[in-house]
Amino acid sequence: MSMDKDSLIYVPGANGLVGSGIIRRLEELNFNNIIVKPHSELDLTRQVDVNDFFESEKPEFVFLAAAKVGGIEANRKSPAEFFYQNAMIANNVIHASYQNNVTKLLFLGSSCIYPKSSKQPIKEEFLLSGYLEETNEAYAIAKISGLKMCQYYKSQYGMNFISAMPTNLYGINDNFNLEDSHVLPALIRKFHEAKISNDSKVEIWGTGKPMREFLHVDDLADACIFLMNNYNGLSHVNVGTGKDISIKDLALLIKNIVGFKGDLYFNTSKPDGMFRKLLDVSKLLDLGWKNRISLRDGILDTYKWYVKNY
Ligand code: GFB
């Protein structure tokens, strides 16, 4: 079952990095019936409100992009909030989608659902084969629960609910707040501010040795629409580039793009988190989708957006 240009599409999380990216791509592709309901008008953690909304709007396709997200420190400091909000959003939206006969739903998770010491690259079937990384266990458990919920509603009720597990994302509308952002926007901001104020060095958290895989949000949005139109399987699908880079090399790349002339300083009192989480993307490749935006081009694009908007 694929979307028509006038299908009624609901994208919870429309103001976030992922939701806004999906809406941009849907609009580029001339989908013209998209429901946007800001958080101020609908709190997705409130079950009765979510049910009322689904009953009155009757969306046909749902891209469940709403989530409480953040970088390593935000996850470490607020496990209760990361668990509660993400579990409630998934429970309420997935259940209301079932009760209101949504044609198809795509749930978005994260590569942190996989075990901390997973074999690399990580295949979909490695889920629940070991302990989780402590710094984001609460978020990961809520996302695993959403993914499993989609599978249970598919097998018991026959709902067409699928899940995508993206790697670390970045791009337009990212969070550049240094306290709770992810590494890539944090480093764009740190190098930019250091360049402007002629600082001699920039602080990088941890040892710089962990490896991360980065996907531009425009690529993710394209993959989500591709999966919505082409995938109906029970298993979740990894979404990434299949390539990773060390945090040190990422820092050097961003330093070069921003044009900062000073040095890097590694603050090893900050956590490294998972050592490596490279996704095996062969399932998605076999389905016929591949990312287009290189890391350098993606960072350049995000840096330009940052300079214009901050
Ligand atoms: O992006 P990040 O916060 O999240 O950190 P995770 C990735 C790596 O970059 C860690 C290092 O090793 C950080 O210590 N890093 C270096 C920095 N400098 C900085 C900095 O200035 N800011 C930040 N934030 N990191 C999150 C999870 O894990 O990623 C979530 O906690 C989620 O659950 C998400 O899944 C994608 O990749 O470690």
Side-chain angles (χ1 to χ4, degrees):
M1 172 64 75
S2 63
M3 300 180 290
D4 294 328
K5 297 296 174 194
D6 54 0
S7 295
L8 190 56
I9 303 169
Y10 173 42
V11 186
N15 291 330
L17 170 71
V18 174
S20 63
I22 292 174
I23 291 175
R24 261 198 322 278
R25 186 71 186 130
L26 286 168
E27 286 174 348
E28 273 167 23
L29 295 169
N30 297 318
F31 287 92
N32 56 50
N33 212 355
I34 304 168
I35 311 174
V36 172
K37 190 85 176 162
H39 187 206
S40 53
E41 288 172 30
L42 176 63
D43 179 348
L44 295 170
T45 64
R46 299 175 66 94
Q47 187 177 23
V48 175
D49 295 356
V50 174
N51 287 348
D52 288 349
F53 169 78
F54 270 79
E55 265 171 37
S56 67
E57 297 288 337
K58 294 282 180 201
E60 296 170 277
F61 293 86
V62 176
F63 288 88
L64 182 36
K68 176 168 176 61
V69 298
I72 192 163
E73 280 292 32
N75 270 268
R76 197 166 70 143
K77 282 183 190 148
S78 317
E81 284 159 46
F82 274 83
F83 179 77
Y84 175 74
Q85 291 197 27
N86 288 303
M88 291 301 281
I89 292 170
N91 278 341
N92 292 341
V93 175
I94 296 169
H95 192 67
S97 297
Y98 155 61
Q99 287 188 312
N100 291 281
N101 252 318
V102 162
T103 307
K104 193 162 180 182
L105 173 143
L106 172 85
F107 173 71
L108 279 140
S110 157
S111 61
C112 70
I113 59 163
Y114 291 111
K116 179 187 172 110
S117 324
S118 190
K119 247 187 351 191
Q120 307 282 328
I122 310 173
K123 289 184 185 297
E124 284 84 355
E125 54 266 34
F126 296 171
L127 181 68
L128 294 175
S129 62
Y131 291 108
L132 296 165
E133 156 63 32
E134 297 78 10
T135 53
N136 57 36
E137 186 192 85
Y139 178 76
I141 286 184
K143 287 297 182 184
I144 293 171
S145 140
L147 173 170
K148 283 287 171 190
M149 190 169 175
C150 289
Q151 292 181 345
Y152 301 145
Y153 279 55
K154 188 180 244 295
S155 46
Q156 185 178 343
Y157 302 133
M159 303 308 294
N160 199 351
F161 293 173
I162 60 169
S163 302
M165 295 299 129
T167 185
N168 288 38
L169 302 168
Y170 70 98
I172 291 169
N173 283 331
D174 215 332
N175 170 16
F176 289 86
N177 176 359
L178 296 181
E179 301 270 293
D180 57 9
S181 63
H182 290 100
V183 60
L184 198 149
L187 294 188
I188 287 183
R189 177 171 175 173
K190 285 181 180 178
F191 282 118
H192 180 72
E193 290 182 349
K195 180 178 83 171
I196 303 288
S197 42
N198 268 319
D199 291 344
S200 59
K201 55 188 182 187
V202 160
E203 180 200 64
I204 313 293
W205 293 356
T207 60
K209 291 182 183 146
M211 305 288 293
R212 290 291 182 274
E213 176 185 4
F214 296 95
L215 182 72
H216 191 280
V217 68
D218 289 354
D219 271 338
L220 172 76
D222 195 60
C224 288
I225 294 165
F226 174 84
L227 288 170
M228 189 64 108
N229 284 334
N230 297 287
Y231 181 71
N232 300 302
L234 188 63
S235 166
H236 59 284
V237 181
N238 289 342
V239 185
T241 63
K243 282 184 225 134
D244 59 1
I245 179 171
S246 72
I247 296 300
K248 181 179 177 187
D249 286 343
L250 174 77
L252 291 171
L253 178 60
I254 298 177
K255 173 182 164 201
N256 174 274
I257 289 171
V258 171
F260 171 69
K261 301 280 181 256
D263 298 321
L264 311 183
Y265 150 71
F266 292 92
N267 179 353
T268 51
S269 72
K270 292 285 189 183
D272 268 343
M274 198 149 151
F275 180 68
R276 196 172 185 206
K277 44 180 169 180
L278 177 64
L279 292 178
D280 182 320
V281 290
S282 43
K283 191 177 178 80
L284 189 54
L285 284 176
D286 291 348
L287 287 165
W289 188 90
K290 193 178 182 324
N291 76 295
R292 290 174 300 114
I293 305 170
S294 72
L295 184 57
R296 173 174 274 279
D297 287 351
I299 294 173
L300 245 163
D301 171 69
T302 310
Y303 180 47
K304 279 189 199 145
W305 185 86
Y306 169 76
V307 170
K308 204 164 149 208
N309 290 276
Y310 278 77

